[in-house]
Amino acid sequence: LLTLQRGGAEVDATGNLNTTQQSAIDYLSEHGVHVVGAPTADAADHDRYLWEVVRSGPHLLLDNGGDLFARWIEEPDRRLLGGTEETTSGRMRLEPLRDRLRLPVLVINDSPIKQFAENRHAVGQSVLESFLRLTNKATNGRRVTVFGYGACGKGVAANFRNAYAVVSVVERDPVARLEALLDGFLVPERDEALRSADVVITVTGAQGVVTAADLPLLKDGAILANAGHFPWEIDAAGIEAAADGRVTVLESGHMVNLAGPRPLGNSIESMDLGFALQARCLEAVARGDVGPESCVVPVPRAIDETVAAAFVAGAR
Ligand SMILES: NC(=O)c1ccc[n+]([C@@H]2O[C@H](COP(=O)([O-])OP(=O)(O)OC[C@H]3O[C@@H](n4cnc5c(N)ncnc54)[C@H](O)[C@@H]3O)[C@@H](O)[C@H]2O)c1
């Protein structure tokens, strides 16, 4: 936000439901950002804040989950030039609305940089870091089973292998399973993978990946953790109720790299890359470098290249 401001923008911002921190609001306010609303877990309050932002007559929207564009469509103000959407879920929400949006909207999550820098490398590192910090256990020689070999799962599996764990991957998709095999991971059948695991990590986006029904398979002392977005990948409540202390679910199945004491989340460098994509995409929309034909499309290749080249130059 401060980068946009330094680029000449007047910035109105509001937070997320449940997760906005007062210290962030204070910091932004002290630096001249107009922050709408306050931390809240009340959906009606949050809705009001979103409307206030949309009704402020913006030229650009930086959206997360499609909340702002979906409201703007209900009261379109033609001062809006377009903007960006951060997430996959927002892309899915906005795609069917293209006919009504008819503005450039660039989807940050669909940049390969976001996929490999944040989802693969940063989530992989932060899940390993959180596991070490929360358990104070070594990874060396431990058998770790990772459910899911998408962008995030690849990073989690690689980071635990790099920390000298013996890593197996359970994947629903045969093609991704083959990739895991060719990347050098064990790809046992699901039950065998659970039976041999000292540590089980889910990172699939799916529900009920490991449940209390799996308890007979799990070793005494097994540690379970979820790195997927929602806490429903591991049925933590069911497992804890039935396990009688025999296994541990870290942070009740909430995203292990963002939950618990002193969560650090992803490295700041990986977030910098995503924010640089945001700033460059908003600049392209403001300058008219992309038009309404770019409605809910991935980041233009030229922007990916600019951001990547600048990061590499800074790293030399
Ligand atoms: N912890 C974080 O900081 C963080 C950051 C980004 C994304 N995420 C979340 O991580 C999850 C995965 O994201 P991604 O980008 O890797 O998604 P993805 O779609 O690239 O990969 C998910 C993989 O899981 C597999 N899968 C689905 N159900 C399965 C099951 N029951 N058993 C085994 N494999 C299964 C799919 O076939 C797919 O290959 C999502 O919930 C995402 O929101 C978390």
Side-chain angles (χ1 to χ4, degrees):
L1 300 182
L2 298 180
T3 300
L4 297 173
Q5 197 183 43
R6 256 175 258 137
E10 271 176 49
V11 182
D12 285 351
T14 194
N16 278 322
L17 191 61
N18 283 327
T19 57
T20 302
Q21 295 176 10
Q22 187 60 48
S23 55
I25 295 181
D26 294 344
Y27 184 86
L28 290 171
S29 302
E30 280 162 24
H31 287 80
V33 173
H34 176 228
V35 180
V36 173
T40 183
D42 182 321
D45 282 345
H46 184 54
D47 179 62
R48 256 190 312 111
Y49 304 153
L50 292 168
W51 272 114
E52 192 174 330
V53 172
V54 170
R55 287 176 178 150
S56 67
H59 297 113
L60 298 168
L61 288 177
L62 188 170
D63 209 350
N64 193 326
D67 282 339
L68 296 172
F69 282 111
R71 281 171 179 74
W72 177 85
I73 279 175
E74 291 180 33
E75 288 183 18
D77 174 337
R78 286 291 157 193
R79 278 177 289 184
L80 187 69
L81 301 170
T84 54
E85 165 53 47
E86 174 74 10
T87 65
T88 316
S89 51
R91 190 234 299 134
M92 286 158 69
R93 187 172 174 193
L94 296 178
E95 269 168 349
L97 302 175
R98 279 192 181 117
D99 285 350
R100 294 169 67 195
L101 281 167
R102 285 182 279 122
L103 292 170
V105 179
L106 306 177
V107 181
I108 306 301
N109 189 69
D110 295 343
S111 159
I113 295 178
K114 169 80 162 59
Q115 291 287 323
F116 64 68
E118 203 173 311
N119 295 6
R120 175 147 62 96
H121 287 294
V123 172
Q125 275 186 348
S126 65
V127 170
L128 174 65
E129 184 274 333
S130 298
F131 174 86
L132 296 171
R133 182 164 44 80
L134 294 172
T135 65
N136 197 21
K137 285 185 185 293
T139 47
N140 307 61
R142 281 223 152 75
R143 291 178 181 272
V144 176
T145 293
V146 178
F147 277 76
Y149 202 66
C152 296
K154 282 178 187 152
V156 172
N159 273 274
F160 276 82
R161 176 167 65 187
N162 290 348
Y164 302 97
V166 181
V167 179
S168 57
V169 169
V170 179
E171 237 305 334
R172 202 174 50 178
D173 171 12
V175 178
R177 199 184 310 141
L178 170 65
E179 191 176 0
L181 174 68
L182 297 190
D183 286 346
F185 295 103
L186 304 168
V187 286
E189 292 298 332
R190 178 184 184 283
D191 285 6
E192 189 195 328
L194 283 175
R195 234 178 257 121
S196 63
D198 300 307
V199 178
V200 176
I201 301 172
T202 56
V203 59
T204 67
Q207 201 160 349
V209 177
V210 183
T211 68
D214 295 313
L215 269 173
L217 298 173
L218 292 171
K219 279 186 188 174
D220 285 355
I223 297 171
L224 282 66
N226 171 46
H229 190 77
F230 292 106
W232 59 39
E233 296 207 13
I234 298 175
D235 173 19
I239 290 175
E240 277 165 355
D244 202 20
R246 205 169 64 72
V247 306
T248 305
V249 185
L250 297 180
E251 303 309 324
S252 305
H254 288 274
M255 268 193 287
V256 69
N257 58 334
L258 293 171
R262 209 173 53 85
L264 295 176
N266 294 339
S267 66
I268 200 66
E269 285 97 337
S270 72
M271 301 308 286
D272 271 352
L273 279 164
F275 297 149
L277 290 171
Q278 283 279 7
R280 289 289 177 206
C281 284
L282 288 168
E283 180 187 51
V285 175
R287 287 191 163 151
D289 296 343
V290 284
E293 71 289 347
S294 300
C295 186
V296 194
V297 300
V299 172
R301 179 73 192 176
I303 293 181
D304 280 329
E305 289 179 3
T306 303
V307 169
F311 194 92
V312 171
R316 277 186 181 134

